[in-house]
Amino acid sequence: MRETPLSTCERDFILSVIADRKRIDGRQTYDYRKIKIVFGIDRGCCSVELGKTRVLAQVSCEVTEPKQTRPTDGILFMNVELSPMACPSFESGRLSDEGVELNRLLERCIKESRCLDTESLCIVAGQKVWTIRIDIHVLNQEGNILDCASIAAITALVHFRRPDVTVSGEDVTIHELDDRDPVPLSVHHMPICVSFAFFDQGKFLLVDPENGEEKVMDGKMVIGMNKHREICTLQITGDMLLLKEQVLRCSNIAVVKVQEISELIQTALENDKTARSEGRKYGFAESIEREQITTHHTDITNVDMEDITKTNHETMDEEENQEQENSEENKVTILEKGTGIVGEGGRNSWLMSDDDEDVKIEPSIPNKSKKHKQKEKKEAYSFGDDSEEEETVVLDESDLHMIKKVPGSSDSVDLQSLKPSKSTPGKKKKKR
Amino acid sequence: MADHVGSLFLPGDLIQNLKESEATKKILLGPGLRQENDLILTSKPGILRFREPNVYWIDSPQKRYVPVKGDAVLGIVTQKMGDVFRVDVGASESATLPYIAFEGATKRNRPDVKVGDIVFARFSVANKDMEAELVCIDKHGRSNGMGVIRDGGFLHHCSINQVRKILNPENVLLKTLGKNMKFETAVGMNGRVWVKGRNINETIAIINALAVSEFMTNEQTLSMCKKLADSLAGF
C-alpha cells in the first residue's frame, strides 16, 4: 500500500513551525521523545519505545562454523524486519531501500564498531564459533526508527546471555540453562545512533525527527557514538550543504544525548537485574501500564434487585452452603480491595465449584455507594453453552459499569439469599 | 435485552439475547458483529453499542478508514487525471473526485486544485470492491462548506474513534477550545482533522489538545483545556 502523501498544507506548516524554532509536538529542538526500555521474559529480548515509534530486538545464538578468513572469530549477524504492521507502506519480505539503509547503518554502528568481542565467541578455532543474531522488528513507525532500533539492538545484546561451554580435548559440551548459569556476551562499549534532521539548507537543525519532520527535511545526519565520545558511524544523506560548524555542533549534541541514553539503558538493565534476582515479576506483561485508558465508560446501570430473591431460593438448595450462618446480614462485605459481595455467605463458594455450571460476577462495590448493584440474573448470563473453561472475572472500580459475562453452561446463577437492602427498586433495566 | 450493551467484548465472544425489532423479528448487525450459522459472534474487540430499534455494532478503536457513502472526509489530492482528481482518503484505495463536482464548475471553468491540496468532500459512491467517488457539492449544487482548503493550517492525523468522539454532540472539546481561542476546523470521518488557529502557537496548542484528548472524559477535557488556555495566556 502506498504511503499517505504529505499535503502542501502540512509541509508549509511544519516548515513555518521549524522556522519559528518550535516543534509540532511541543518539544524543544534538541529534545528526544520519551524513551521507554522494556525487557521480555527471555534474555536478549528488548522493546524500545521512542514516543510512538516502537522497535523490538531479539538476540539469539547458535554454534556454527567460522568464516574461512577468520577462524577464531564469532559471527554477529543483524537483520531488520519492516513489517506492514508498523506502517502500511512497508512491504513484507523483501527489504525496501529504506530498510537496506537502516540495516546497513545499524551494522556499521554495532557490528563494525566492534563493540562485541567476537573472539570471545570462539569455541574451537576453525570449527566451532557462536553466531549471534540480532533480529530487529519495527513494530510502529512514527519517525526516527534508526535511533530507536540502535538502542533496542545494543540493549538486547547487553541483556543477552549465551549458554556456557566447556571444551575438553575434542569434546565440546554446551551446558543447559539450568545446568550452568548462562554467560553474558562481552560488550566493550555501547554505540548509539543519534539522528539530526536539517531544514532550509542546514539552517535549522532538529534532534529525533518525527514522521512529518522526516518527510519534510532536506537532509539527515546520523552520528553513532558511545559514551566515551568515540564516533562509530557518521553518515550524511540528502541534498544540502553543511558547514563544518554544523557537524561539530551536532557531534557535541550527540555527546550529551548518548550520555543520557546510556544512563537510561544502564538503569533499565539494573532494574531488570534486580527484578530477576529478587524474584519479582519481570517481562512485558509486567511493564504494561494498567488502567491507562480512562474513558469508554458507560453510565451507571441501575438494576432491579427484586427478581433476585426469587432466583436465590431455587439455587439455594443445590448449593446449601455451610457459610449460611452469617447469613442474616445484608451489608456489603469487602473481601479485598476491589472485590465485594452483597448479602451473606461471606466467602465466595463459587470459586471452588468443580463443575462448570456457575456464572460468577463479582462487581466491585464502592464502599458507600447507595446505588450499588449486583448483576445477578438467571438466564441473562448463559453464554457459550459448551464452554469448558471456568473463569472468574474480578472487576475493578473503573470497570464497574460494565457487565462482565463469563461463559458457562449455567442456568443457575447463585447468590446466596440476597435480599435487597439498600437497593433502589424500580429501575429502568429489566431482565428478560 | 439490552443488558450487555456497553460492555466489552473480544473477538470470538458469543452474543445472545439481542433485541429484535418487533415488526420484522430481525436484528441488524453492524461493524464488528458476524453471524455464523445461528450464532452471533464478535469479530473485533470493543464495546457493544445498540440503537433503537434493532441495530447492534461494536465500537472499536481503528486506524484504517473504510469509505462509507455520505461521510465527509479530508483527502489529499495526489494526481490529476483527465477529468478527475485522485484523492488519498486513507482508505485502501484512493478515491476519485470529478472536477465537475465543485460549486460553480463547468466544462470550461475548471476548479483550481493542485496536487498536494487538501479537499473536504463527501462520498457519493462508496461500494465494496469499487472505486469510491467524492463530490464537493451537496444536492442543490452548493459547496456547503466543502471544497479545497488552502489557506494554511495543519492537517492532524488521528484515529477514527477520536474523530467520532469530537463530533459527538456531547463532547466538549471543540466547544471549550473555542471559548479560549478562535480557530477554524474541518473534521473528516477518515481520521483527519484540519485546524487553523490565529497563529502557529495556537494551532500547535489545538493539535496537541486533539492528540491527548482521545481517551479523556469530558471533565478531564475541561481541565486540560483550562490548563492549555492558561499556559497560552502565559501563566
Side-chain angles (χ1 to χ4, degrees), chain A residues 35 53 106 197 260 295 335:
Chain A
I35 303 172
T53 300
L106 284 169
E260 285 172 12
T295 49
L335 294 178

Side-chain angles (χ1 to χ4, degrees), chain A residues 183-334:
Chain A
V183 287
L185 305 173
S186 64
V187 180
H188 297 311
H189 58 96
M190 298 203 291
I192 291 156
C193 288
V194 180
S195 303
F196 300 89
F198 292 96
F199 302 85
D200 203 5
Q201 287 304 309
K203 197 172 158 197
F204 301 109
L205 153 104
L206 295 183
V207 176
D208 182 24
E210 51 105 41
N211 217 356
E213 290 162 349
E214 260 184 356
K215 282 181 186 168
V216 181
M217 69 188 174
D218 283 345
K220 182 170 157 177
M221 176 154 90
V222 176
I223 298 182
M225 198 189 263
N226 62 20
K227 66 175 175 191
H228 314 297
R229 296 177 163 224
E230 291 163 340
I231 292 181
C232 307
T233 329
L234 198 141
Q235 191 217 25
I236 301 174
T237 46
D239 45 347
M240 47 158 193
L241 297 165
L242 276 187
L243 296 170
K244 193 174 73 183
E245 286 77 40
Q246 281 282 40
V247 181
L248 280 174
R249 201 162 109 211
C250 287
S251 56
N252 283 331
I253 298 166
V255 169
V256 180
K257 293 297 160 196
V258 167
Q259 211 72 265
E260 285 172 12
I261 296 170
S262 298
E263 270 168 36
L264 201 73
I265 295 175
Q266 230 29 285
T267 21
L269 284 165
E270 285 295 319
N271 287 346
D272 185 70
K273 197 177 156 193
T274 45
R276 275 168 203 264
S277 60
E278 286 171 14
R280 276 188 282 133
K281 282 184 182 168
Y282 52 87
F284 294 138
E286 197 45 36
S287 26
I288 292 172
E289 287 174 44
R290 275 161 222 271
E291 290 164 27
Q292 279 291 290
I293 295 176
T294 51
T295 49
H296 271 347
H297 100 95
T298 48
D299 290 327
I300 292 167
T301 4
N302 296 313
V303 180
D304 191 347
M305 304 241 296
E306 277 171 354
D307 307 334
I308 295 165
T309 351
K310 274 185 254 158
T311 327
N312 292 328
H313 288 308
E314 293 157 25
T315 51
M316 274 265 288
D317 317 335
E318 42 181 285
E319 284 293 322
E320 43 159 308
N321 287 316
Q322 54 278 51
E323 294 101 333
Q324 283 180 11
E325 288 89 271
N326 46 355
S327 58
E328 254 52 72
E329 291 175 65
N330 277 323
K331 285 199 299 185
V332 177
T333 325
I334 307 295

Side-chain angles (χ1 to χ4, degrees), chain B residues 9-80:
Chain B
F9 286 90
L10 294 177
D13 278 352
L14 205 63
I15 298 188
Q16 287 184 341
N17 301 325
L18 295 179
K19 186 182 158 196
E20 54 201 22
S21 101
E22 274 159 27
T24 54
K25 296 276 171 219
K26 277 180 183 164
I27 303 169
L28 253 174
L29 298 182
L33 292 175
R34 202 155 55 93
Q35 187 186 7
E36 217 164 78
N37 301 325
D38 50 350
L39 301 175
I40 294 166
L41 301 166
T42 46
S43 57
K44 285 204 285 189
I47 298 200
L48 185 70
R49 301 282 186 209
F50 170 71
R51 176 178 287 171
E52 288 291 340
N54 61 348
V55 189
Y56 283 91
W57 75 97
I58 295 278
D59 198 1
S60 72
Q62 182 173 328
K63 262 183 164 177
R64 166 73 56 224
Y65 177 69
V66 182
V68 176
K69 191 182 167 182
D71 266 7
V73 293
L74 280 163
I76 301 164
V77 179
T78 54
Q79 211 181 348
K80 282 177 170 179

Side-chain angles (χ1 to χ4, degrees), chain B residues 191-234:
Chain B
R192 290 176 188 176
V193 184
W194 174 82
V195 186
K196 189 192 175 200
R198 274 179 304 196
N199 51 42
I200 287 177
N201 257 2
E202 290 196 3
T203 313
I204 295 177
I206 295 162
I207 294 163
N208 284 330
L210 283 172
V212 296
S213 66
E214 177 162 8
F215 298 116
M216 283 187 179
T217 58
N218 272 346
E219 296 82 64
Q220 287 169 320
T221 314
L222 281 174
S223 70
M224 184 267 296
C225 288
K226 193 167 174 295
K227 266 186 216 159
L228 192 81
D230 286 352
S231 65
L232 269 181

Side-chain angles (χ1 to χ4, degrees), chain A residues 10-282:
Chain A
E10 283 169 277
R11 178 182 300 272
D12 293 347
F13 187 76
I14 293 173
L15 286 175
S16 61
V17 166
I18 290 164
D20 237 24
R21 313 220 170 240
K22 292 197 182 77
R23 289 177 91 164
I24 297 176
D25 44 12
R27 279 184 287 163
Q28 296 295 310
T29 36
Y30 300 152
D31 281 357
Y32 257 90
R33 285 168 286 177
K34 198 179 156 220
I35 303 172
K36 193 177 160 199
I37 301 170
V38 174
F39 298 99
I41 285 181
D42 284 342
R43 281 281 180 180
C45 180
C46 172
S47 147
V48 174
E49 283 173 47
L50 181 61
K52 280 181 185 163
T53 300
R54 207 167 167 190
V55 172
L56 178 100
Q58 171 73 58
V59 178
S60 52
C61 64
E62 57 176 336
V63 177
T64 51
E65 225 171 78
K67 284 179 186 154
Q68 296 283 309
T69 47
R70 292 192 163 273
T72 57
D73 274 7
I75 300 164
L76 177 64
F77 179 76
M78 297 186 74
N79 175 42
V80 176
E81 293 293 332
L82 296 173
S83 84
M85 273 280 278
C87 177
S89 63
F90 293 156
E91 279 172 41
S92 53
R94 188 177 57 88
L95 268 187
S96 58
D97 287 355
E98 196 187 351
V100 173
E101 190 192 346
L102 198 67
N103 203 342
R104 191 67 202 115
L105 264 171
L106 284 169
E107 270 185 4
R108 274 174 58 187
C109 178
I110 290 169
K111 194 171 165 184
E112 284 163 29
S113 71
R114 307 186 59 78
C115 63
L116 180 70
D117 179 17
T118 43
E119 281 183 18
S120 69
L121 297 173
C122 179
I123 303 167
V124 180
Q127 286 173 23
K128 284 191 171 71
V129 291
W130 285 109
T131 295
I132 305 291
R133 182 189 163 101
I134 312 177
D135 282 290
I136 296 157
H137 294 265
V138 178
L139 303 180
N140 195 25
Q141 136 79 328
E142 287 288 336
N144 205 4
I145 304 176
L146 178 70
D147 292 13
C148 197
S150 82
I151 299 171
I154 194 70
T155 316
L157 206 59
V158 177
H159 190 244
F160 183 67
R161 300 283 183 274
R162 67 170 170 83
D164 202 1
V165 179
T166 41
V167 185
S168 56
E170 287 288 287
D171 292 344
V172 176
T173 333
I174 297 170
H175 297 281
E176 292 291 316
L177 294 185
D178 37 353
D179 187 15
R180 252 198 220 187
D181 277 345
V183 287
L185 305 173
S186 64
V187 180
H188 297 311
H189 58 96
M190 298 203 291
I192 291 156
C193 288
V194 180
S195 303
F196 300 89
F198 292 96
F199 302 85
D200 203 5
Q201 287 304 309
K203 197 172 158 197
F204 301 109
L205 153 104
L206 295 183
V207 176
D208 182 24
E210 51 105 41
N211 217 356
E213 290 162 349
E214 260 184 356
K215 282 181 186 168
V216 181
M217 69 188 174
D218 283 345
K220 182 170 157 177
M221 176 154 90
V222 176
I223 298 182
M225 198 189 263
N226 62 20
K227 66 175 175 191
H228 314 297
R229 296 177 163 224
E230 291 163 340
I231 292 181
C232 307
T233 329
L234 198 141
Q235 191 217 25
I236 301 174
T237 46
D239 45 347
M240 47 158 193
L241 297 165
L242 276 187
L243 296 170
K244 193 174 73 183
E245 286 77 40
Q246 281 282 40
V247 181
L248 280 174
R249 201 162 109 211
C250 287
S251 56
N252 283 331
I253 298 166
V255 169
V256 180
K257 293 297 160 196
V258 167
Q259 211 72 265
E260 285 172 12
I261 296 170
S262 298
E263 270 168 36
L264 201 73
I265 295 175
Q266 230 29 285
T267 21
L269 284 165
E270 285 295 319
N271 287 346
D272 185 70
K273 197 177 156 193
T274 45
R276 275 168 203 264
S277 60
E278 286 171 14
R280 276 188 282 133
K281 282 184 182 168
Y282 52 87

Side-chain angles (χ1 to χ4, degrees), chain A residues 378-389:
Chain A
K378 229 186 150 175
E379 323 256 53
Y381 298 99
S382 51
F383 299 100
D385 278 344
D386 43 10
S387 168
E388 258 138 53
E389 67 208 75

